[in-house]
Amino acid sequence: AETIHFHLTLAPCEDAHLADIARIYGHAVQHGTASFETEPPTVDEMRRRRQALLDAGYPYLVALVDGRVAGYAYASAYRSRPGYRFACENSVYVSPAAQGKGVGKALLARLIED
């Protein structure tokens, strides 16, 4: 079997990453089963969602493979009821081309750490 090497960097999400994030999420909406949305959100909507999470103190990360966005992950409130105040949920999305290479695993590990 051939071994493929690539350079993976995990970093906080920046505005410059949002077009790629919208593309990755759009693919998940159209072809996946986890989003429960029927129409891919716009880049502006993805920006609004990210800012709401950052304002609430949650991490929002990107995975860069050889400098290009290969996936992203964020944490968010699980439920708004007081009994869930210490619980959060995670969302991890990886571009189809980068799936199966450990990108999602790396994002989730850093998200838990953050």
Side-chain angles (χ1 to χ4, degrees), residues 29-87:
V29 168
Q30 292 177 323
H31 302 285
T33 59
S35 79
F36 295 96
E37 292 196 64
T38 56
E39 295 294 324
T42 64
V43 173
D44 285 340
E45 174 60 15
M46 296 301 284
R47 179 177 292 110
R48 186 199 65 73
R49 292 177 186 187
R50 181 194 64 153
Q51 194 58 54
L53 292 172
L54 293 175
D55 289 349
Y58 291 104
Y60 201 117
L61 306 171
V62 293
L64 304 171
V65 172
D66 297 328
R68 299 187 62 193
V69 177
Y72 70 102
Y74 57 86
S76 57
Y78 176 64
R79 297 236 169 105
S80 60
R81 295 178 187 152
Y84 293 107
R85 69 189 174 279
F86 300 117

Side-chain angles (χ1 to χ4, degrees), residues 80-99:
S80 60
R81 295 178 187 152
Y84 293 107
R85 69 189 174 279
F86 300 117
C88 67
E89 63 180 329
N90 68 76
S91 295
V92 179
Y93 292 91
V94 178
S95 72
Q99 291 176 3

